[in-house]
Amino acid sequence: MTSASQVPARDSAAVDVLNRVFGYPSFRGQQHEIIEHVAGGGDALVLMPTGGGKSLCYQIPALVRPGTGVVVSPLIALMQDQVDALRTLGVRANFLNSAQDYDERRLVEAEFVNGDLDLLYVAPEGLGVAATQRLLDRGKISLFAIDEAHCVSQWGHDFRPDYLGLSMLHERWPDVPRIALTATATSATRDEIATRLQLTDARHFTASFDRPNIQYRIVPKNEPRKQLLELLRTEHPGDSGIVYCLSRASVERTAEFLQQNGVNALPYHAGLDNRVRAANQSRFLREDGLVMVATIAFGMGIDKPDVRFVAHLDLPKSVEGYYQETGRAGRDGQPSTAWLAYGLQDVVQQRKMIDSSDGDLAHRRNAGRHLDAMLALCETVTCRRSQLLNYFGQVPAGENCGNCDTCLVPPESWDGTVPAQKLLSTVLRLQRERGQKFGAGQSIDILLGKETDKIQRFRHHELSVFGIGKELRDAEWRGVVRKLLAEGLLAVEGEYSTLVLTDASADVLRGRTKVMMRREAPAKVKAPRQRAAAAPAADLSPADASTFERLRTWRASVAKEQGMPAYVIFHDATLRAIAALNPKTLGELGTVSGVGQGKLTKFGQQVLDTLHDGPSSGPSVPAPSPGVSSRFGDSDHIFDEEPPDVDYDHEPPPPDYE
Ligand code: ADP
Ligand code: ZN
């Protein structure tokens, strides 16, 4: 056979596996190219956003090539689910990790040595062990896949020291192709991965990082929990989602608040007992419509496809983090929301955290730059998506994406130079005339001419700037402070977050720098609905929608019985397509995208029975209880006196990993 004729042969093998095993009609983006490259024995470094379809890039080559594909994954807690999902497709998969007992391990080892496995998942630390290496020598390895490859980056918060040892794979098994995959978009991290894993000669595949189905929205923070509840009730009733908070205490409070208001919410942070955390994660994956309130300790490797929203109640520390976290929404390609509430307190708090961190100057500068980029995204009056893609060095498709808040409701901008000057003068006068420094709250009270005790006590009503700022409301003044802080035209200092001028302040005071402000949305400007309705069955006729609900009820019972996440059985999108097609035979059912041979054999008849048995009295999404609790969370006040007490989750919790 000539080499030319081998290409189509391999080609059709990959396509065949895609159709037959996974039940998908065609490849997405660069999948085909990557799969052919690796199936042909090449090394690859793949950068693809979450939901881009990375898994197929190593699963299909592993099925096409002789031997077992060894997948290095840091997520012990999720291995069982990954393996279950593959087995449901009829793929022979298993895993080895330290959570297994001796007998379990022996069984898996025997499967591998006998050539009975298509895919074997292992923890990175396992590969460092001599016994595991000897075991791998006894079987045939088709490829190494290094998932979550950014864990090798010492700068990222997902760093796993054991990843550093993975360059050993290349030395010990030089003929086995390797594919490293990550959703991290920055070129610095990509280069670091390539160097550390000795993949500089590998072919690099960088997909577009755009996630067109995610609607990006950033709103001013007033009463964050109340705003969140409003979002959930009006746009995402009964949907699965993640709410990120910075501190453990605020995770607890927010989860409780949501529960009290009829939302099915669970907390997750590194301070919770291991078992509680694992149980909550498992429930989130398995049940429909749960809201996980979490610190950033939650999320890596969570491949639940139908997360409909990711909400941030606090400002993320970097655009990288923000993009990774919001990327967990809508892996199934369906419309989803990324929503962030952002206020003055966030800026003050984060600046302070950086100033008081133990890191050296370089570290603090780096953190400061990351924060600045995040603030620029929040304050922008142009398309958020364009700004995000530009940040990652990618070219946006156009100036306006049509699916972010600034594109949907273009913000008015106004010239805030005069108010900015008034504020800066207040700070200047306090310091020059009184030798005092105060926080934003007192400065704003002075501008508004408020007769508070504190004003009296410090005789601030005698200042010439007292009451010169009555043209703006308190919230608008906070917007001015936020903007000045975001642009480095003002700074906060010390334990009490007092305001101080920066070198750049002088240019504003002298009128050399203009300050353009984003108009604070009046209380009610809602972004237009991104889709007909929040319910997943929205695009179906009423009859098909009821069929879809019946299928979901059936799926829930199977998932429960088998102890698997519902989406492992069929995705919502697949159930919706089945409801719309209403197939009468297994053959017809098999034409639906997402129904491969394995699932057809396992579940086909049950699906047909469910379709043609008529409606059952399946449960529907519980309606949120009416009436809003009278006590809402903290408003965005700046405290002059006391810094908020917080306990941040800087790192992912070790117990999730080995
Ligand atoms: P990633 O690991 O890049 O975040 P996944 O591999 O989990 O993404 O894929 C995201 C979703 O897209 C999965 O539910 C997967 O089944 C689906 N998917 C991947 N490739 C295809 C394809 N070619 N056609 C249809 N669906 C696909
Ligand atoms: Zn846009």
Side-chain angles (χ1 to χ4, degrees):
M1 238 201 270
T2 66
S3 62
S5 68
Q6 278 165 354
V7 175
R10 244 194 359 245
D11 192 309
S12 67
V15 174
D16 178 57
V17 171
L18 178 77
N19 301 155
R20 196 169 36 81
V21 178
F22 294 91
Y24 295 137
S26 54
F27 285 113
R28 270 190 199 159
Q30 292 174 293
Q31 275 178 337
H32 200 178
E33 230 183 312
I34 298 166
I35 288 167
E36 291 304 335
H37 177 70
V38 177
D43 291 340
L45 173 54
V46 174
L47 280 82
M48 216 184 247
T50 306
K54 286 185 285 299
S55 323
L56 290 191
C57 295
Y58 59 84
Q59 288 167 348
I60 294 184
L63 289 167
V64 170
R65 289 175 64 86
T68 305
V70 175
V71 186
V72 183
S73 163
L75 303 149
I76 307 289
L78 299 172
M79 280 186 184
Q80 183 72 58
D81 284 353
Q82 286 170 323
V83 163
D84 283 346
L86 285 163
R87 288 203 188 136
T88 309
L89 293 164
V91 174
R92 301 170 308 165
N94 219 325
F95 62 86
L96 280 177
N97 68 36
S98 61
Q100 290 164 308
D101 64 29
Y102 179 79
D103 291 339
E104 282 171 322
R105 284 184 72 93
R106 287 303 292 267
L107 275 175
V108 181
E109 289 174 9
E111 282 179 334
F112 170 72
V113 174
N114 295 336
D116 292 338
L117 288 179
D118 302 309
L119 283 155
L120 174 64
Y121 285 74
V122 293
E125 35 285 351
L127 277 178
V129 178
T132 311
Q133 296 177 6
R134 282 198 301 274
L135 168 75
L136 293 185
D137 280 334
R138 289 166 55 211
K140 184 161 180 53
I141 307 167
S142 59
L143 58 82
F144 285 110
I146 302 164
D147 205 6
E148 311 285 355
H150 63 283
C151 290
V152 80
S153 162
Q154 279 168 305
W155 302 109
H157 60 59
D158 292 330
F159 175 58
R160 302 287 309 272
D162 289 300
Y163 265 65
L164 292 174
L166 293 179
S167 54
M168 158 282 285
L169 298 178
H170 182 47
E171 286 146 22
R172 189 167 175 130
W173 295 281
D175 299 331
V176 178
R178 293 170 304 149
I179 170 171
L181 311 103
T182 178
T184 304
T186 51
S187 57
T189 311
R190 177 187 53 203
D191 295 345
E192 200 185 346
I193 294 170
T195 315
R196 291 194 193 281
L197 295 179
Q198 295 184 18
L199 281 168
T200 33
D201 294 335
R203 225 175 117 185
H204 292 194
F205 296 88
T206 307
S208 162
F209 270 79
D210 192 11
R211 300 287 308 280
N213 61 312
I214 300 181
Q215 183 175 94
Y216 293 95
R217 279 153 53 186
I218 301 179
V219 303
K221 195 193 271 193
N222 305 311
E223 295 171 289
R225 295 195 184 108
K226 186 175 168 188
Q227 289 171 283
L228 173 69
L229 189 62
E230 164 96 6
L231 173 83
L232 300 197
R233 286 190 172 161
T234 55
E235 296 181 51
H236 291 287
D239 280 348
S240 287
I242 306 174
V243 177
Y244 281 109
C245 304
L246 204 54
S247 76
R248 298 172 189 183
S250 117
V251 164
E252 298 275 352
R253 279 200 306 268
T254 306
E256 212 178 284
F257 169 80
L258 290 177
Q259 286 157 4
Q260 283 163 1
N261 286 283
V263 178
N264 212 350
L266 293 171
Y268 187 104
H269 58 71
L272 287 175
D273 181 74
N274 287 350
R275 269 176 320 204
V276 175
R277 210 167 50 218
N280 287 358
Q281 170 166 305
S282 171
R283 279 190 61 194
F284 178 72
L285 292 173
R286 278 164 177 69
E287 294 173 30
D288 280 330
L290 270 184
V291 175
M292 187 66 109
V293 185
T295 59
I296 55 164
F298 179 76
M300 184 169 57
I302 294 295
D303 55 2
K304 189 174 169 61
D306 53 0
V307 173
R308 291 275 69 87
F309 65 87
V310 171
H312 281 89
L313 285 190
D314 297 298
L315 186 72
K317 294 194 181 86
S318 68
V319 177
E320 285 85 348
Y322 170 73
Y323 207 58
Q324 215 165 57
E325 285 141 27
T326 54
R328 290 171 187 145
R331 291 168 83 111
D332 54 7
Q334 302 294 310
S336 311
T337 309
W339 180 90
L340 159 67
Y342 145 77
L344 174 54
Q345 177 74 37
D346 287 304
V347 193
V348 172
Q349 196 168 311
Q350 298 238 5
R351 287 253 190 261
K352 207 159 65 188
M353 263 164 67
I354 293 173
D355 288 342
S356 61
S357 78
D358 331 318
D360 56 15
L361 186 64
H363 175 87
R364 288 205 296 272
R365 281 223 178 104
N366 192 36
R369 268 196 297 272
H370 278 120
L371 178 58
D372 288 343
M374 191 62 223
L375 292 174
L377 178 69
C378 293
E379 297 286 345
T380 187
V381 285
T382 62
C383 173
R384 310 258 192 217
R385 190 182 311 273
S386 308
Q387 183 143 345
L388 281 165
L389 292 175
N390 278 322
Y391 180 81
F392 293 117
Q394 297 200 332
V395 184
E399 252 175 53
N400 286 332
C401 74
N403 197 22
C404 76
D405 51 1
T406 43
C407 287
L408 290 166
V409 187
E412 276 176 57
S413 59
W414 58 284
D415 187 343
T417 311
V418 172
Q421 288 169 332
K422 290 181 180 178
L423 186 96
L424 294 176
S425 318
T426 306
V427 176
L428 185 71
R429 271 168 214 287
L430 280 170
Q431 187 165 3
R432 284 247 182 96
E433 294 171 16
R434 302 285 184 86
Q436 295 170 338
K437 288 178 188 166
F438 278 88
Q442 181 73 354
S443 308
I444 291 171
D445 283 353
I446 294 172
L447 284 162
L448 290 173
K450 284 198 186 159
E451 304 273 358
T452 67
D453 287 350
K454 198 166 165 185
I455 294 277
Q456 298 290 341
R457 189 153 24 105
F458 289 98
R459 294 189 291 101
H460 284 164
H461 52 281
E462 292 167 13
L463 290 167
S464 60
V465 288
F466 187 74
I468 62 164
K470 291 183 179 161
E471 72 275 23
L472 297 188
R473 292 175 294 130
D474 186 76
E476 290 165 325
W477 275 116
R478 276 184 276 142
V480 174
V481 178
R482 207 178 65 207
K483 174 77 176 178
L484 292 174
L485 287 174
E487 306 229 317
L489 300 168
L490 183 68
V492 288
E493 196 183 76
E495 200 187 335
Y496 300 119
S497 303
T498 52
L499 299 177
V500 290
L501 300 187
T502 67
D503 292 344
S505 305
D507 284 342
V508 179
L509 282 165
R510 294 201 190 105
R512 284 199 218 116
T513 299
K514 245 184 159 187
V515 181
M516 293 308 291
M517 301 277 307
R518 209 185 145 105
R519 180 153 324 269
E520 299 282 335
K524 279 267 172 280
V525 174
K526 240 173 52 192
R529 294 298 280 258
Q530 54 178 318
R531 47 183 169 153
D539 50 345
L540 297 174
S541 72
D544 291 350
S546 110
T547 310
F548 171 72
E549 286 308 330
R550 223 158 59 229
L551 287 167
R552 291 233 298 182
T553 308
W554 162 78
R555 181 182 67 179
S557 69
V558 178
K560 191 151 188 210
E561 184 188 294
Q562 312 218 349
M564 289 194 290
Y567 60 80
V568 164
I569 298 165
F570 287 119
H571 286 186
D572 277 356
T574 305
L575 291 190
R576 207 173 306 142
I578 295 173
L581 180 72
N582 197 18
K584 304 279 184 303
T585 63
L586 288 173
E588 263 184 282
L589 178 60
T591 63
V592 174
S593 174
V595 186
Q597 250 171 29
K599 289 190 181 178
L600 195 62
T601 313
K602 275 199 191 71
F603 306 122
Q605 195 52 52
Q606 293 184 46
V607 169
L608 293 182
D609 290 347
T610 307
L611 285 174
H612 305 297
D613 267 4
S616 76
S617 54
S620 56
V621 182
S625 67
V628 176
S629 146
S630 58
R631 283 196 296 136
F632 288 111
D634 23 47
S635 56
D636 181 28
H637 284 306
I638 284 290
F639 303 102
D640 283 0
E641 293 80 12
E642 244 182 330
D645 65 332
V646 277
D647 42 354
Y648 306 102
D649 275 2
H650 288 289
E651 282 174 291
D656 267 3
Y657 312 88
E658 252 188 1

